[in-house]
PDB file of all heavy atoms in Angstrom:
ATOM      1  N   GLN A 151       5.162 -15.124  -1.078  1.00  0.00           N
ATOM      2  CA  GLN A 151       4.521 -13.798  -1.321  1.00  0.00           C
ATOM      3  C   GLN A 151       4.130 -13.691  -2.737  1.00  0.00           C
ATOM      4  O   GLN A 151       4.459 -14.454  -3.615  1.00  0.00           O
ATOM      5  CB  GLN A 151       5.581 -12.725  -0.986  1.00  0.00           C
ATOM      6  CG  GLN A 151       5.987 -12.654   0.461  1.00  0.00           C
ATOM      7  CD  GLN A 151       4.874 -12.034   1.428  1.00  0.00           C
ATOM      8  OE1 GLN A 151       4.104 -11.251   0.886  1.00  0.00           O
ATOM      9  NE2 GLN A 151       4.899 -12.398   2.658  1.00  0.00           N
ATOM     10  N   THR A 152       3.331 -12.652  -3.021  1.00  0.00           N
ATOM     11  CA  THR A 152       3.008 -12.311  -4.297  1.00  0.00           C
ATOM     12  C   THR A 152       4.136 -11.391  -4.979  1.00  0.00           C
ATOM     13  O   THR A 152       4.648 -10.582  -4.306  1.00  0.00           O
ATOM     14  CB  THR A 152       1.616 -11.513  -4.336  1.00  0.00           C
ATOM     15  OG1 THR A 152       0.581 -12.365  -3.918  1.00  0.00           O
ATOM     16  CG2 THR A 152       1.393 -10.882  -5.764  1.00  0.00           C
ATOM     17  N   VAL A 153       4.504 -11.649  -6.149  1.00  0.00           N
ATOM     18  CA  VAL A 153       5.469 -10.858  -6.913  1.00  0.00           C
ATOM     19  C   VAL A 153       4.787 -10.093  -8.064  1.00  0.00           C
ATOM     20  O   VAL A 153       4.021 -10.687  -8.813  1.00  0.00           O
ATOM     21  CB  VAL A 153       6.552 -11.792  -7.357  1.00  0.00           C
ATOM     22  CG1 VAL A 153       7.602 -10.963  -8.158  1.00  0.00           C
ATOM     23  CG2 VAL A 153       7.345 -12.464  -6.268  1.00  0.00           C
ATOM     24  N   ALA A 154       5.121  -8.836  -8.163  1.00  0.00           N
ATOM     25  CA  ALA A 154       4.507  -8.002  -9.265  1.00  0.00           C
ATOM     26  C   ALA A 154       5.298  -6.886  -9.698  1.00  0.00           C
ATOM     27  O   ALA A 154       5.926  -6.321  -8.814  1.00  0.00           O
ATOM     28  CB  ALA A 154       3.065  -7.420  -8.738  1.00  0.00           C
ATOM     29  N   GLY A 155       5.268  -6.586 -10.886  1.00  0.00           N
ATOM     30  CA  GLY A 155       5.903  -5.427 -11.394  1.00  0.00           C
ATOM     31  C   GLY A 155       5.398  -4.177 -10.748  1.00  0.00           C
ATOM     32  O   GLY A 155       6.127  -3.309 -10.256  1.00  0.00           O
ATOM     33  N   ILE A 156       4.001  -4.113 -10.677  1.00  0.00           N
ATOM     34  CA  ILE A 156       3.339  -2.953 -10.002  1.00  0.00           C
ATOM     35  C   ILE A 156       2.220  -3.643  -9.089  1.00  0.00           C
ATOM     36  O   ILE A 156       1.469  -4.463  -9.587  1.00  0.00           O
ATOM     37  CB  ILE A 156       2.595  -2.056 -10.979  1.00  0.00           C
ATOM     38  CG1 ILE A 156       3.696  -1.204 -11.744  1.00  0.00           C
ATOM     39  CG2 ILE A 156       1.636  -1.094 -10.247  1.00  0.00           C
ATOM     40  CD1 ILE A 156       3.050  -0.328 -12.794  1.00  0.00           C
ATOM     41  N   ALA A 157       2.317  -3.264  -7.919  1.00  0.00           N
ATOM     42  CA  ALA A 157       1.285  -3.632  -6.932  1.00  0.00           C
ATOM     43  C   ALA A 157       0.736  -2.384  -6.281  1.00  0.00           C
ATOM     44  O   ALA A 157       1.427  -1.554  -5.811  1.00  0.00           O
ATOM     45  CB  ALA A 157       1.844  -4.593  -5.776  1.00  0.00           C
ATOM     46  N   ALA A 158      -0.613  -2.203  -6.420  1.00  0.00           N
ATOM     47  CA  ALA A 158      -1.219  -1.015  -5.832  1.00  0.00           C
ATOM     48  C   ALA A 158      -2.691  -1.221  -5.525  1.00  0.00           C
ATOM     49  O   ALA A 158      -3.295  -2.282  -5.953  1.00  0.00           O
ATOM     50  CB  ALA A 158      -1.060   0.098  -6.888  1.00  0.00           C
ATOM     51  N   GLY A 159      -3.322  -0.285  -4.795  1.00  0.00           N
ATOM     52  CA  GLY A 159      -4.779  -0.390  -4.559  1.00  0.00           C
ATOM     53  C   GLY A 159      -5.547  -0.232  -5.824  1.00  0.00           C
ATOM     54  O   GLY A 159      -6.539  -0.827  -6.015  1.00  0.00           O
ATOM     55  N   SER A 160      -5.110   0.735  -6.662  1.00  0.00           N
ATOM     56  CA  SER A 160      -5.714   0.972  -7.958  1.00  0.00           C
ATOM     57  C   SER A 160      -4.650   1.537  -8.891  1.00  0.00           C
ATOM     58  O   SER A 160      -3.651   2.047  -8.456  1.00  0.00           O
ATOM     59  CB  SER A 160      -6.887   1.857  -7.917  1.00  0.00           C
ATOM     60  OG  SER A 160      -6.540   3.204  -7.527  1.00  0.00           O
ATOM     61  N   LEU A 161      -4.832   1.432 -10.177  1.00  0.00           N
ATOM     62  CA  LEU A 161      -3.924   1.945 -11.246  1.00  0.00           C
ATOM     63  C   LEU A 161      -4.713   2.680 -12.195  1.00  0.00           C
ATOM     64  O   LEU A 161      -5.614   2.260 -12.850  1.00  0.00           O
ATOM     65  CB  LEU A 161      -3.123   0.878 -11.811  1.00  0.00           C
ATOM     66  CG  LEU A 161      -2.258   1.249 -13.044  1.00  0.00           C
ATOM     67  CD1 LEU A 161      -1.162   2.240 -12.516  1.00  0.00           C
ATOM     68  CD2 LEU A 161      -1.566   0.015 -13.618  1.00  0.00           C
ATOM     69  N   THR A 162      -4.331   4.002 -12.409  1.00  0.00           N
ATOM     70  CA  THR A 162      -4.833   4.824 -13.509  1.00  0.00           C
ATOM     71  C   THR A 162      -3.670   5.261 -14.380  1.00  0.00           C
ATOM     72  O   THR A 162      -2.711   5.896 -13.882  1.00  0.00           O
ATOM     73  CB  THR A 162      -5.599   6.048 -12.947  1.00  0.00           C
ATOM     74  OG1 THR A 162      -6.704   5.624 -12.154  1.00  0.00           O
ATOM     75  CG2 THR A 162      -6.129   6.852 -14.109  1.00  0.00           C
TER      76      THR A 162
END
Side-chain angles (χ1 to χ4, degrees):
Q151 296 285 333
T152 291
V153 175
I156 291 177
S160 66
L161 172 62
T162 299

